[in-house]
Amino acid sequence: MFLLMDSINKLTMKKIFVSALVALCGFTASYAQQASFLSNNHCLYRISQESQNQKCLLLPVQEDAEMANIKVIADNKQVKAFNVKLAKDHVDYFVPLYMDEFAGLKGLALNIHVNGDYSKEGLNALTCWKEMKFSDAFDMKNREQYRPDFHHTPAYGWMNDPNGMFYKDGVWNLYFQHNPYGSQWENMTWGHSTSTDLVHWKFQGTPIQPDAVGTIFSGSAVVDKNNTSGFGKDAVVALYTSAAENQTQSMAYSTDNGKTFTKYEGNPIITSTVPDFRDPHMFWNEDIKKWNMILAAGQHMEIYTSDNLKDWKLESSFGEKYGNHGGVWECPDLMKLKVRGTDKEKWMLICNINPGGPSGGSATQYFVGDFDGYKFTCESKPEVTKWMDYGKDHYATVSFDNAPNGRRVAIGRGGITWMSNWQYANQVPTQQYRSGNSIPRDLGLFEYKGETYCSVVPSPEMTAARSKKAGKKLTESCEMVVNLKGNATITLSNDKGEKVVMNYDAKAETFSMDRTKSGKVDFSKDFAAVTKAPTYGKISQLRIFIDKSSIEALDADGKMSMTNLVFPSKPYNKVTVKGKGKYQVYDIK
Ligand code: FRU
């Protein structure tokens, strides 16, 4: 009883104190003036000119709250709309609504509709109204426990597929499926980051945002060197899926190296009523002197040609009865690669598929064959399925356009992938951001027992990022190089008893990774897993990249790659290698 009284008193005192403080700061007045509750689900939140001069409005998010739809209106006209889970009873994190998007607009207000039943407590009882605040800064410091050091992650908010990647004038441009208003999938927008070394990335904003045609799903970008599109020499032209009731393809172009984009006035340029019709990937095909584009349509790929990037002709389709059909085909790519140790060149068609992966959920399959610019012919039997990576967290792999010349010839096309799986991507235990990309990898082809496979090696930039000296101590962000002479078991562990066990079986020609006891695994029934890969011959060196919450194990020779997320409660600080293996560790900065 006393305890209760005591806490009531404390609470009342706290309330009086807070109201006094709030009144002093003029908060009560502006709060009342800002928020008008028009029904149990509808609030009009006015933004004064003074507030509009600040950098951003911080919106409080609670991930298990109901979704709110916010329409930004200026002088009663809608200028933007998005969805956000406004805090109901506590705040998980804040997301910024930047005011410079509305520069020069007058009479700004948020027309907010919150889903759910608030007839008892009233809409004004939600925590969000008290927590929404204007600020001159948004804190993007990299301090979450699981946020990697040398992998690209969004500065804040959700990320899935890499999009529209291109290289130009010394800069690698990476766009990505982004939700700027929460760390779960929603409001698909193209976020943008750049790098000069493929290891350190800088967030550049959200240059392609949803519009009346739809939200902005995955796609690609090319550097139009000969101005075939008429948007200007060296314009960057992007093609993406506009997702609304139907999925259609739209275009945008940039004349400032991909910083800002203008949407094409003729959008959408390709329409269809097929339910899954998306992720256009374009490239210049020197063999036929035309643009090619490959698009995922349900469970097959469509191949198009164009002279000007605007008018596309459907030439053929590929995929019926070929490979794995356990899920929807998505995010295609098509590229010509050298076959290692020969003077042959072959084409590889990348097909990301969800679900249907070798360990459940999302994964990347590929087909090797011939492409004459109009039709792709797979050289393997239809029942053959080839996977690019045998981990659970390798999806939406696509390549960069316009990668530096000599380099492409020498080592194939650089690829990059999304390190997660649709089975649990929205639940992984991070908050201010969710998901990262893999390290950059160079793709090529090699032959083994009558089949041609994709080789995957860490891009040379990863070697350049190593510390000068190698040691034996595991750090949170490092590369472990293991030289193998036969069977070996590699265990990473911490003093909480959490561990990851990797096993190379030279005779069976397999490599496996067990993350069942790796740390936090119970956020999804699909997370705990042992993944297993064929090694297509012997492995003599493993390169294992560990970066706080990811482990990428690659055969240095490119015959095997395995990408898995892990969430240890404390970093792994102990290594044991049993069997025929010697290791050393490089720090990566
Ligand atoms: C693949 C995907 C794409 C789509 C995008 C939407 O992960 O489903 O097919 O364009 O994500 O965010």
Side-chain angles (χ1 to χ4, degrees):
M1 181 66 181
F2 274 113
L3 257 179
L4 191 67
M5 277 298 290
D6 197 38
S7 56
I8 289 174
N9 278 341
K10 270 191 193 148
L11 207 72
T12 324
M13 289 310 289
K14 204 169 156 195
K15 268 195 190 153
I16 293 170
F17 179 73
V18 170
S19 331
L21 198 73
V22 148
L24 264 178
C25 305
F27 178 74
T28 315
S30 65
Y31 168 64
Q33 185 196 352
Q34 278 164 359
S36 308
F37 296 96
L38 308 181
S39 83
N40 281 330
N41 293 91
H42 187 186
C43 167
L44 191 68
Y45 190 90
R46 294 187 185 82
I47 297 176
S48 69
Q49 192 57 54
E50 196 187 327
S51 303
Q52 201 178 331
N53 290 340
Q54 302 236 40
K55 192 172 176 74
C56 55
L57 169 60
L58 298 177
L59 298 170
V61 177
Q62 177 181 334
E63 287 200 338
D64 61 1
E66 295 277 2
M67 190 65 85
N69 173 259
I70 301 190
K71 295 187 175 71
V72 183
I73 54 174
D75 271 343
N76 280 323
K77 287 194 200 76
Q78 182 177 320
V79 289
K80 185 183 173 95
F82 58 98
N83 296 324
V84 57
K85 289 181 172 173
L86 287 177
K88 188 178 170 193
D89 51 44
H90 71 270
V91 181
D92 288 329
Y93 50 83
F94 288 89
V95 291
L97 176 65
Y98 286 109
M99 289 296 118
D100 61 359
E101 281 192 46
F102 316 113
L105 297 180
K106 295 246 149 50
L108 210 60
L110 306 184
N111 193 6
I112 307 177
H113 187 97
V114 189
N115 287 309
D117 180 2
Y118 305 100
S119 48
K120 277 208 196 92
E121 69 271 48
L123 188 63
N124 58 350
L126 299 194
T127 295
C128 57
W129 315 118
K130 288 180 234 92
E131 294 288 344
M132 274 158 81
K133 47 187 164 244
F134 288 89
S135 170
D136 262 337
F138 176 62
D139 184 359
M140 291 197 243
K141 293 229 175 66
N142 186 2
R143 60 168 84 86
E144 264 191 61
Q145 181 190 3
Y146 294 123
R147 201 194 267 266
D149 274 339
F150 61 87
H151 287 79
H152 172 254
T153 50
Y156 59 92
W158 161 269
M159 173 175 84
N160 55 295
D161 317 349
N163 294 150
M165 302 187 299
F166 71 93
Y167 174 89
K168 189 167 185 281
D169 303 339
V171 180
W172 299 92
N173 287 269
L174 164 62
Y175 301 83
F176 52 92
Q177 288 286 280
H178 184 39
N179 179 8
Y181 304 111
S183 299
Q184 292 174 319
W185 188 90
E186 193 63 49
N187 305 310
M188 279 304 115
T189 298
W190 276 25
H192 182 206
S193 297
T194 55
S195 170
T196 50
D197 62 5
L198 281 174
V199 179
H200 303 94
W201 295 91
K202 193 162 181 277
F203 180 60
Q204 303 287 358
T206 50
I208 310 187
Q209 300 204 10
D211 56 25
V213 194
T215 52
I216 316 295
F217 273 19
S218 289
S220 57
V222 292
V223 180
D224 187 11
K225 290 180 188 154
N226 298 322
N227 193 17
T228 61
S229 59
F231 295 134
K233 185 175 155 25
D234 285 334
V236 176
V237 181
L239 191 58
Y240 56 85
T241 301
S242 291
E245 271 161 48
N246 282 341
Q247 297 183 346
T248 59
Q249 317 312 317
S250 294
M251 224 179 160
Y253 62 92
S254 168
T255 49
D256 59 4
N257 284 344
K259 260 200 192 84
T260 60
F261 280 84
T262 306
K263 302 226 177 88
Y264 176 53
E265 71 242 13
N267 282 343
I269 59 168
I270 304 175
T271 58
S272 165
T273 51
V274 173
D276 294 299
F277 185 69
R278 55 178 182 260
D279 311 341
H281 196 102
M282 314 174 274
F283 58 96
W284 175 252
N285 190 338
E286 191 55 33
D287 298 347
I288 56 164
K289 304 256 182 309
K290 278 181 191 295
W291 295 101
N292 271 132
M293 187 258 286
I294 177 163
L295 182 78
Q299 293 214 351
H300 68 270
M301 298 298 180
E302 293 190 345
I303 293 169
Y304 293 75
T305 54
S306 172
D307 292 314
N308 61 7
L309 293 167
K310 292 175 186 152
D311 304 300
W312 292 93
K313 179 165 177 249
L314 175 62
E315 301 285 357
S316 64
S317 74
F318 168 77
E320 214 190 315
K321 300 207 174 78
Y322 275 83
N324 187 297
H325 285 269
V328 178
W329 286 22
E330 304 182 317
C331 301
D333 200 343
L334 184 55
M335 61 191 74
K336 197 200 281 185
L337 296 167
K338 286 223 149 107
V339 182
R340 188 193 288 177
T342 75
D343 50 14
K344 284 184 265 186
E345 283 184 328
K346 290 187 180 180
W347 285 81
M348 176 169 75
L349 189 156
I350 294 181
C351 164
N352 291 280
I353 177 168
N354 175 56
S359 301
S362 336
T364 308
Q365 67 173 327
Y366 63 91
F367 302 90
V368 179
D370 194 21
F371 178 57
D372 62 4
Y374 303 92
K375 190 174 173 10
F376 176 81
T377 316
C378 179
E379 65 177 24
S380 305
K381 294 212 176 89
E383 58 272 23
V384 175
T385 300
K386 297 174 179 175
W387 299 108
M388 191 179 283
D389 185 288
Y390 280 81
K392 276 199 77 134
D393 301 297
H394 178 278
Y395 199 54
T397 313
V398 282
S399 66
F400 281 91
D401 182 64
N402 200 36
N405 258 332
R407 181 169 177 195
R408 187 192 297 185
V409 176
I411 48 168
R413 311 247 309 202
I416 213 162
T417 199
W418 172 47
M419 270 202 298
S420 201
N421 189 315
W422 279 117
Q423 285 180 326
Y424 44 73
N426 278 286
Q427 283 85 43
V428 298
T430 62
Q431 285 225 306
Q432 198 203 6
Y433 81 100
R434 224 178 238 115
S435 292
N437 290 109
S438 69
I439 53 161
R441 303 159 180 210
D442 281 47
L443 309 178
L445 295 173
F446 70 97
E447 290 174 324
Y448 182 71
K449 294 193 178 165
E451 284 285 350
T452 305
Y453 294 97
C454 174
S455 66
V456 184
V457 292
S459 295
E461 284 80 358
M462 292 316 302
T463 316
R466 281 176 176 171
S467 55
K468 286 212 175 70
K469 281 198 185 136
K472 286 278 176 199
K473 249 185 99 192
L474 207 59
T475 65
E476 280 184 281
S477 4
C478 64
E479 179 187 350
M480 197 179 148
V481 178
V482 191
N483 290 316
L484 296 166
K485 287 222 169 75
N487 290 357
T489 302
I490 304 154
T491 306
L492 313 179
S493 60
N494 62 18
D495 49 21
K496 296 261 175 198
E498 296 164 347
K499 60 182 179 182
V500 176
V501 184
M502 290 172 258
N503 191 58
Y504 171 53
D505 184 332
K507 187 148 178 266
E509 297 188 349
T510 58
F511 176 85
S512 66
M513 197 187 297
D514 180 345
R515 68 170 179 194
T516 53
K517 300 193 178 64
S518 56
K520 285 186 197 158
V521 294
D522 58 1
F523 54 87
S524 158
K525 67 173 182 23
D526 296 311
F527 188 77
V530 183
T531 56
K532 196 169 185 179
T535 61
Y536 303 126
K538 303 271 174 268
I539 290 185
S540 54
Q541 188 181 74
L542 271 172
R543 296 181 64 183
I544 304 172
F545 294 86
I546 303 160
D547 196 2
K548 298 209 176 151
S549 54
S550 62
I551 302 182
E552 292 157 279
L554 291 98
D555 162 25
D557 214 22
K559 298 189 300 336
M560 187 284 302
S561 84
M562 186 174 283
T563 306
N564 281 320
L565 295 176
V566 285
F567 298 96
S569 52
K570 280 179 79 186
Y572 306 123
N573 54 0
K574 208 173 141 213
V575 189
T576 58
V577 178
K578 282 198 186 133
K580 297 188 173 157
K582 287 215 166 86
Y583 80 93
Q584 50 189 10
V585 178
Y586 294 93
D587 239 354
I588 298 194
K589 281 281 165 296

